[in-house]
């Protein structure tokens, strides 16, 4: 019997969410968050929800609040198979979601991609990351505890 607490705490989950795209554990973290995907073909990409090339277009007041480390973290990443990622390319998140959904399947799509149902405009990145972190924290808490 283990006589100490081995549960995963809020501080640990917060650190997980800071993991950067190219970190050696990023793929593993994302695969835990997206367990419904079939990883047997090993053809998955770590994809920025808000594309990385758009970071430089952020207004300075937004950049002062959302640095590259936040933008490049698990909070702005998803797992996509290579075909999905190639079709998404560098489309802004809002444009990509609109191209993939309609009124009947949008909520299911957002839930499957762990995207909060809110404004997906790039200038709302601060609110987006805050909302997405809440969802990811809850999901990781359920999975890891």
């Amino acid at each position: 019997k283990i006589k100490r607490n081995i549960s995963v705490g809020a501080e640990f989950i917060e650190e997980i969410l800071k993991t950067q795209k190219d970190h050696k554990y990023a793929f593993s973290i994302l695969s835990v968050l997206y367990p419904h995907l079939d990883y047997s073909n090993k053809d998955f990409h770590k994809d920025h929800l808000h594309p990385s090339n758009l970071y430089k277009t952020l207004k300075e007041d937004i950049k002062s609040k959302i640095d590259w480390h936040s933008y490049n973290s698990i909070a702005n990443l998803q797992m996509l198979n290579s075909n999905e990622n190639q079709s998404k390319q560098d489309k802004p998140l809002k444009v990509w979601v609109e191209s993939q959904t309609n009124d009947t399947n949008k909520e299911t799509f957002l839930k499957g991609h762990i995207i909060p149902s809110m404004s997906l405009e790039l200038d709302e990145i601060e609110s987006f990351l805050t909302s997405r972190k809440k969802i990811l924290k809850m999901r990781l808490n359920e999975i890891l505890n």
Side-chain angles (χ1 to χ4, degrees):
K1 291 184 179 182
I2 298 174
K3 295 183 179 185
R4 59 188 161 120
N5 182 355
I6 59 169
S7 65
V8 174
E11 198 172 298
F12 179 74
I13 290 175
E14 191 71 41
E15 288 302 311
I16 287 174
L17 295 179
K18 292 178 184 176
T19 303
Q20 298 293 292
K21 180 182 181 186
D22 294 326
H23 190 277
K24 64 182 178 180
Y25 295 129
F27 188 92
S28 299
I29 293 166
L30 289 169
S31 64
V32 165
L33 288 166
Y34 293 88
H36 60 282
L37 300 176
D38 178 9
Y39 295 100
S40 61
N41 72 8
K42 299 179 183 148
D43 199 15
F44 281 85
H45 298 180
K46 300 170 287 185
D47 174 67
H48 286 96
L49 288 158
H50 286 285
S52 59
N53 70 331
L54 295 182
Y55 180 76
K56 63 183 175 268
T57 69
L58 285 174
K59 296 174 187 158
E60 285 305 315
D61 63 321
I62 297 173
K63 274 188 183 177
S64 69
K65 297 174 188 169
I66 303 297
D67 65 7
W68 175 247
H69 292 292
S70 296
Y71 198 92
N72 195 46
S73 73
I74 295 294
N76 189 38
L77 296 175
Q78 68 178 335
M79 194 72 85
L80 289 181
N81 72 41
S82 62
N83 292 333
E84 278 183 301
N85 197 27
Q86 287 170 358
S87 72
K88 181 181 181 258
Q89 295 181 339
D90 287 334
K91 290 178 188 157
L93 179 58
K94 181 181 178 182
V95 172
W96 179 67
V97 169
E98 288 173 353
S99 73
Q100 300 296 308
T101 64
N102 57 43
D103 290 341
T104 59
N105 70 352
K106 187 173 183 178
E107 287 304 315
T108 302
F109 181 86
L110 293 175
K111 186 175 181 178
H113 288 274
I114 318 174
I115 299 172
S117 182
M118 60 179 299
S119 172
L120 302 178
E121 296 285 350
L122 183 60
D123 62 356
E124 297 289 330
I125 185 74
E126 185 177 12
S127 297
F128 173 82
L129 291 177
T130 299
S131 296
R132 189 149 193 269
K133 282 180 185 178
K134 286 179 187 175
I135 296 168
L136 294 175
K137 284 177 188 179
M138 287 189 310
R139 186 163 292 187
L140 286 169
N141 208 8
E142 289 170 8
I143 293 168
L144 300 175
N145 285 312

mmCIF file of all heavy atoms in Angstrom, residues 27 37-47 78-90 96 100 113:
data_model
loop_
_atom_site.group_PDB
_atom_site.id
_atom_site.type_symbol
_atom_site.label_atom_id
_atom_site.label_comp_id
_atom_site.label_asym_id
_atom_site.label_seq_id
_atom_site.Cartn_x
_atom_site.Cartn_y
_atom_site.Cartn_z
ATOM 1 N N PHE A 27 3.662 15.783 -27.604
ATOM 2 C CA PHE A 27 2.855 14.794 -28.320
ATOM 3 C C PHE A 27 2.114 13.888 -27.332
ATOM 4 O O PHE A 27 0.921 13.616 -27.493
ATOM 5 C CB PHE A 27 3.726 13.958 -29.266
ATOM 6 C CG PHE A 27 2.941 13.056 -30.167
ATOM 7 C CD1 PHE A 27 2.554 13.489 -31.428
ATOM 8 C CD2 PHE A 27 2.563 11.771 -29.765
ATOM 9 C CE1 PHE A 27 1.813 12.660 -32.274
ATOM 10 C CE2 PHE A 27 1.830 10.948 -30.587
ATOM 11 C CZ PHE A 27 1.455 11.391 -31.854
ATOM 12 N N LEU A 37 -8.611 9.488 -30.945
ATOM 13 C CA LEU A 37 -7.943 9.397 -32.242
ATOM 14 C C LEU A 37 -7.209 8.067 -32.379
ATOM 15 O O LEU A 37 -6.709 7.519 -31.395
ATOM 16 C CB LEU A 37 -6.960 10.564 -32.417
ATOM 17 C CG LEU A 37 -7.579 11.960 -32.362
ATOM 18 C CD1 LEU A 37 -6.496 13.033 -32.456
ATOM 19 C CD2 LEU A 37 -8.595 12.144 -33.482
ATOM 20 N N ASP A 38 -7.145 7.559 -33.576
ATOM 21 C CA ASP A 38 -6.458 6.297 -33.851
ATOM 22 C C ASP A 38 -5.002 6.610 -34.211
ATOM 23 O O ASP A 38 -4.700 7.018 -35.324
ATOM 24 C CB ASP A 38 -7.142 5.566 -35.010
ATOM 25 C CG ASP A 38 -6.452 4.260 -35.373
ATOM 26 O OD1 ASP A 38 -5.548 3.825 -34.633
ATOM 27 O OD2 ASP A 38 -6.820 3.687 -36.410
ATOM 28 N N TYR A 39 -4.122 6.405 -33.255
ATOM 29 C CA TYR A 39 -2.714 6.754 -33.432
ATOM 30 C C TYR A 39 -1.902 5.650 -34.107
ATOM 31 O O TYR A 39 -0.697 5.775 -34.249
ATOM 32 C CB TYR A 39 -2.081 7.103 -32.080
ATOM 33 C CG TYR A 39 -2.679 8.357 -31.479
ATOM 34 C CD1 TYR A 39 -3.649 8.293 -30.485
ATOM 35 C CD2 TYR A 39 -2.276 9.606 -31.926
ATOM 36 C CE1 TYR A 39 -4.195 9.443 -29.947
ATOM 37 C CE2 TYR A 39 -2.818 10.765 -31.394
ATOM 38 C CZ TYR A 39 -3.775 10.675 -30.405
ATOM 39 O OH TYR A 39 -4.317 11.811 -29.888
ATOM 40 N N SER A 40 -2.546 4.594 -34.550
ATOM 41 C CA SER A 40 -1.808 3.466 -35.126
ATOM 42 C C SER A 40 -1.081 3.836 -36.416
ATOM 43 O O SER A 40 -0.061 3.242 -36.737
ATOM 44 C CB SER A 40 -2.742 2.274 -35.365
ATOM 45 O OG SER A 40 -3.767 2.620 -36.279
ATOM 46 N N ASN A 41 -1.582 4.827 -37.160
ATOM 47 C CA ASN A 41 -0.890 5.191 -38.400
ATOM 48 C C ASN A 41 0.277 6.155 -38.175
ATOM 49 O O ASN A 41 1.018 6.451 -39.098
ATOM 50 C CB ASN A 41 -1.869 5.771 -39.433
ATOM 51 C CG ASN A 41 -2.362 7.158 -39.077
ATOM 52 O OD1 ASN A 41 -1.896 7.808 -38.146
ATOM 53 N ND2 ASN A 41 -3.332 7.628 -39.831
ATOM 54 N N LYS A 42 0.417 6.652 -36.966
ATOM 55 C CA LYS A 42 1.540 7.512 -36.565
ATOM 56 C C LYS A 42 1.702 8.732 -37.459
ATOM 57 O O LYS A 42 2.789 9.237 -37.652
ATOM 58 C CB LYS A 42 2.839 6.712 -36.522
ATOM 59 C CG LYS A 42 2.797 5.575 -35.542
ATOM 60 C CD LYS A 42 4.075 4.788 -35.551
ATOM 61 C CE LYS A 42 3.921 3.632 -34.596
ATOM 62 N NZ LYS A 42 4.627 2.481 -34.960
ATOM 63 N N ASP A 43 0.608 9.222 -38.002
ATOM 64 C CA ASP A 43 0.668 10.345 -38.919
ATOM 65 C C ASP A 43 -0.122 11.518 -38.359
ATOM 66 O O ASP A 43 -1.036 12.031 -38.996
ATOM 67 C CB ASP A 43 0.131 9.924 -40.288
ATOM 68 C CG ASP A 43 0.576 10.849 -41.398
ATOM 69 O OD1 ASP A 43 1.508 11.643 -41.175
ATOM 70 O OD2 ASP A 43 -0.027 10.785 -42.476
ATOM 71 N N PHE A 44 0.234 11.935 -37.138
ATOM 72 C CA PHE A 44 -0.459 13.029 -36.481
ATOM 73 C C PHE A 44 0.468 14.208 -36.284
ATOM 74 O O PHE A 44 1.675 14.051 -36.131
ATOM 75 C CB PHE A 44 -1.043 12.570 -35.135
ATOM 76 C CG PHE A 44 -2.309 11.804 -35.306
ATOM 77 C CD1 PHE A 44 -2.285 10.448 -35.566
ATOM 78 C CD2 PHE A 44 -3.531 12.452 -35.256
ATOM 79 C CE1 PHE A 44 -3.461 9.738 -35.756
ATOM 80 C CE2 PHE A 44 -4.706 11.748 -35.442
ATOM 81 C CZ PHE A 44 -4.674 10.400 -35.694
ATOM 82 N N HIS A 45 -0.130 15.388 -36.300
ATOM 83 C CA HIS A 45 0.627 16.624 -36.159
ATOM 84 C C HIS A 45 0.136 17.394 -34.944
ATOM 85 O O HIS A 45 -1.064 17.420 -34.663
ATOM 86 C CB HIS A 45 0.453 17.510 -37.387
ATOM 87 C CG HIS A 45 0.945 16.896 -38.650
ATOM 88 N ND1 HIS A 45 0.861 17.551 -39.846
ATOM 89 C CD2 HIS A 45 1.540 15.704 -38.920
ATOM 90 C CE1 HIS A 45 1.375 16.803 -40.802
ATOM 91 N NE2 HIS A 45 1.775 15.670 -40.260
ATOM 92 N N LYS A 46 1.057 18.048 -34.277
ATOM 93 C CA LYS A 46 0.727 18.998 -33.226
ATOM 94 C C LYS A 46 0.452 20.321 -33.947
ATOM 95 O O LYS A 46 1.345 20.879 -34.571
ATOM 96 C CB LYS A 46 1.887 19.150 -32.246
ATOM 97 C CG LYS A 46 2.274 17.856 -31.553
ATOM 98 C CD LYS A 46 3.571 18.003 -30.782
ATOM 99 C CE LYS A 46 4.719 18.053 -31.782
ATOM 100 N NZ LYS A 46 6.039 18.086 -31.182
ATOM 101 N N ASP A 47 -0.773 20.771 -33.881
ATOM 102 C CA ASP A 47 -1.203 21.923 -34.669
ATOM 103 C C ASP A 47 -1.608 23.091 -33.770
ATOM 104 O O ASP A 47 -2.309 22.892 -32.779
ATOM 105 C CB ASP A 47 -2.402 21.517 -35.536
ATOM 106 C CG ASP A 47 -3.007 22.687 -36.274
ATOM 107 O OD1 ASP A 47 -2.323 23.218 -37.168
ATOM 108 O OD2 ASP A 47 -4.149 23.071 -35.939
ATOM 109 N N GLN A 78 -3.556 21.487 -30.740
ATOM 110 C CA GLN A 78 -4.460 20.345 -30.880
ATOM 111 C C GLN A 78 -3.743 19.262 -31.674
ATOM 112 O O GLN A 78 -2.711 19.509 -32.289
ATOM 113 C CB GLN A 78 -5.746 20.753 -31.591
ATOM 114 C CG GLN A 78 -5.545 21.130 -33.049
ATOM 115 C CD GLN A 78 -6.840 21.480 -33.747
ATOM 116 O OE1 GLN A 78 -7.915 21.036 -33.351
ATOM 117 N NE2 GLN A 78 -6.760 22.272 -34.799
ATOM 118 N N MET A 79 -4.312 18.095 -31.650
ATOM 119 C CA MET A 79 -3.773 16.985 -32.434
ATOM 120 C C MET A 79 -4.656 16.820 -33.674
ATOM 121 O O MET A 79 -5.879 16.722 -33.568
ATOM 122 C CB MET A 79 -3.801 15.696 -31.606
ATOM 123 C CG MET A 79 -2.989 14.593 -32.188
ATOM 124 S SD MET A 79 -1.219 14.868 -32.057
ATOM 125 C CE MET A 79 -0.910 14.249 -30.417
ATOM 126 N N LEU A 80 -4.012 16.844 -34.833
ATOM 127 C CA LEU A 80 -4.725 16.630 -36.100
ATOM 128 C C LEU A 80 -3.995 15.571 -36.908
ATOM 129 O O LEU A 80 -2.761 15.518 -36.884
ATOM 130 C CB LEU A 80 -4.754 17.910 -36.945
ATOM 131 C CG LEU A 80 -5.614 19.067 -36.493
ATOM 132 C CD1 LEU A 80 -5.500 20.216 -37.492
ATOM 133 C CD2 LEU A 80 -7.063 18.663 -36.323
ATOM 134 N N ASN A 81 -4.756 14.760 -37.647
ATOM 135 C CA ASN A 81 -4.065 13.858 -38.562
ATOM 136 C C ASN A 81 -3.507 14.701 -39.707
ATOM 137 O O ASN A 81 -3.900 15.849 -39.904
ATOM 138 C CB ASN A 81 -4.952 12.694 -39.020
ATOM 139 C CG ASN A 81 -6.038 13.102 -39.975
ATOM 140 O OD1 ASN A 81 -5.836 13.914 -40.879
ATOM 141 N ND2 ASN A 81 -7.215 12.535 -39.785
ATOM 142 N N SER A 82 -2.578 14.146 -40.436
ATOM 143 C CA SER A 82 -1.860 14.929 -41.449
ATOM 144 C C SER A 82 -2.787 15.503 -42.516
ATOM 145 O O SER A 82 -2.600 16.633 -42.965
ATOM 146 C CB SER A 82 -0.760 14.097 -42.086
ATOM 147 O OG SER A 82 -1.309 12.976 -42.741
ATOM 148 N N ASN A 83 -3.822 14.750 -42.911
ATOM 149 C CA ASN A 83 -4.753 15.254 -43.934
ATOM 150 C C ASN A 83 -5.522 16.476 -43.434
ATOM 151 O O ASN A 83 -5.684 17.458 -44.154
ATOM 152 C CB ASN A 83 -5.727 14.167 -44.377
ATOM 153 C CG ASN A 83 -5.043 13.059 -45.139
ATOM 154 O OD1 ASN A 83 -4.012 13.283 -45.774
ATOM 155 N ND2 ASN A 83 -5.592 11.865 -45.064
ATOM 156 N N GLU A 84 -6.004 16.393 -42.183
ATOM 157 C CA GLU A 84 -6.714 17.533 -41.600
ATOM 158 C C GLU A 84 -5.795 18.744 -41.510
ATOM 159 O O GLU A 84 -6.194 19.861 -41.815
ATOM 160 C CB GLU A 84 -7.211 17.203 -40.186
ATOM 161 C CG GLU A 84 -8.488 16.449 -40.102
ATOM 162 C CD GLU A 84 -8.891 16.250 -38.655
ATOM 163 O OE1 GLU A 84 -8.106 15.642 -37.897
ATOM 164 O OE2 GLU A 84 -9.983 16.712 -38.286
ATOM 165 N N ASN A 85 -4.570 18.510 -41.064
ATOM 166 C CA ASN A 85 -3.624 19.613 -40.893
ATOM 167 C C ASN A 85 -3.281 20.254 -42.235
ATOM 168 O O ASN A 85 -3.169 21.475 -42.338
ATOM 169 C CB ASN A 85 -2.372 19.135 -40.175
ATOM 170 C CG ASN A 85 -1.562 20.272 -39.617
ATOM 171 O OD1 ASN A 85 -2.084 21.332 -39.305
ATOM 172 N ND2 ASN A 85 -0.279 20.057 -39.486
ATOM 173 N N GLN A 86 -3.125 19.446 -43.266
ATOM 174 C CA GLN A 86 -2.827 19.995 -44.590
ATOM 175 C C GLN A 86 -4.002 20.798 -45.130
ATOM 176 O O GLN A 86 -3.811 21.818 -45.786
ATOM 177 C CB GLN A 86 -2.435 18.872 -45.555
ATOM 178 C CG GLN A 86 -1.064 18.321 -45.261
ATOM 179 C CD GLN A 86 -0.758 17.046 -46.036
ATOM 180 O OE1 GLN A 86 -1.589 16.548 -46.783
ATOM 181 N NE2 GLN A 86 0.444 16.525 -45.850
ATOM 182 N N SER A 87 -5.225 20.362 -44.855
ATOM 183 C CA SER A 87 -6.379 21.121 -45.336
ATOM 184 C C SER A 87 -6.586 22.394 -44.512
ATOM 185 O O SER A 87 -7.050 23.400 -45.025
ATOM 186 C CB SER A 87 -7.646 20.266 -45.331
ATOM 187 O OG SER A 87 -8.096 20.033 -44.029
ATOM 188 N N LYS A 88 -6.217 22.343 -43.248
ATOM 189 C CA LYS A 88 -6.331 23.530 -42.390
ATOM 190 C C LYS A 88 -5.285 24.564 -42.769
ATOM 191 O O LYS A 88 -5.567 25.759 -42.809
ATOM 192 C CB LYS A 88 -6.171 23.156 -40.923
ATOM 193 C CG LYS A 88 -6.295 24.348 -39.990
ATOM 194 C CD LYS A 88 -6.101 23.936 -38.541
ATOM 195 C CE LYS A 88 -6.256 25.115 -37.622
ATOM 196 N NZ LYS A 88 -5.014 25.657 -37.142
ATOM 197 N N GLN A 89 -4.082 24.114 -43.042
ATOM 198 C CA GLN A 89 -2.940 24.978 -43.346
ATOM 199 C C GLN A 89 -2.839 26.088 -42.313
ATOM 200 O O GLN A 89 -2.835 25.811 -41.125
ATOM 201 C CB GLN A 89 -3.022 25.502 -44.771
ATOM 202 C CG GLN A 89 -2.912 24.405 -45.798
ATOM 203 C CD GLN A 89 -2.979 24.921 -47.215
ATOM 204 O OE1 GLN A 89 -3.471 26.005 -47.482
ATOM 205 N NE2 GLN A 89 -2.471 24.115 -48.130
ATOM 206 N N ASP A 90 -2.736 27.322 -42.750
ATOM 207 C CA ASP A 90 -2.590 28.451 -41.830
ATOM 208 C C ASP A 90 -3.858 29.290 -41.753
ATOM 209 O O ASP A 90 -3.804 30.497 -41.531
ATOM 210 C CB ASP A 90 -1.401 29.326 -42.244
ATOM 211 C CG ASP A 90 -0.075 28.660 -41.927
ATOM 212 O OD1 ASP A 90 -0.040 27.825 -41.009
ATOM 213 O OD2 ASP A 90 0.915 28.981 -42.601
ATOM 214 N N TRP A 96 -11.310 28.317 -40.230
ATOM 215 C CA TRP A 96 -11.212 26.859 -40.293
ATOM 216 C C TRP A 96 -12.450 26.207 -39.692
ATOM 217 O O TRP A 96 -13.038 25.304 -40.304
ATOM 218 C CB TRP A 96 -9.944 26.381 -39.597
ATOM 219 C CG TRP A 96 -9.795 24.903 -39.592
ATOM 220 C CD1 TRP A 96 -9.591 24.083 -40.669
ATOM 221 C CD2 TRP A 96 -9.831 24.041 -38.455
ATOM 222 N NE1 TRP A 96 -9.497 22.774 -40.276
ATOM 223 C CE2 TRP A 96 -9.635 22.720 -38.918
ATOM 224 C CE3 TRP A 96 -9.999 24.254 -37.092
ATOM 225 C CZ2 TRP A 96 -9.607 21.629 -38.064
ATOM 226 C CZ3 TRP A 96 -9.965 23.164 -36.242
ATOM 227 C CH2 TRP A 96 -9.777 21.862 -36.734
ATOM 228 N N GLN A 100 -15.443 23.847 -41.602
ATOM 229 C CA GLN A 100 -15.626 22.447 -41.225
ATOM 230 C C GLN A 100 -16.985 22.143 -40.611
ATOM 231 O O GLN A 100 -17.305 20.971 -40.378
ATOM 232 C CB GLN A 100 -14.543 22.045 -40.215
ATOM 233 C CG GLN A 100 -13.129 22.174 -40.721
ATOM 234 C CD GLN A 100 -12.853 21.245 -41.879
ATOM 235 O OE1 GLN A 100 -13.097 20.045 -41.798
ATOM 236 N NE2 GLN A 100 -12.368 21.796 -42.978
ATOM 237 N N HIS A 113 -12.634 18.851 -30.704
ATOM 238 C CA HIS A 113 -11.336 19.505 -30.848
ATOM 239 C C HIS A 113 -10.952 20.313 -29.605
ATOM 240 O O HIS A 113 -9.938 21.013 -29.611
ATOM 241 C CB HIS A 113 -11.340 20.408 -32.086
ATOM 242 C CG HIS A 113 -11.328 19.626 -33.359
ATOM 243 N ND1 HIS A 113 -10.174 19.189 -33.948
ATOM 244 C CD2 HIS A 113 -12.335 19.168 -34.141
ATOM 245 C CE1 HIS A 113 -10.458 18.514 -35.050
ATOM 246 N NE2 HIS A 113 -11.778 18.479 -35.178
#
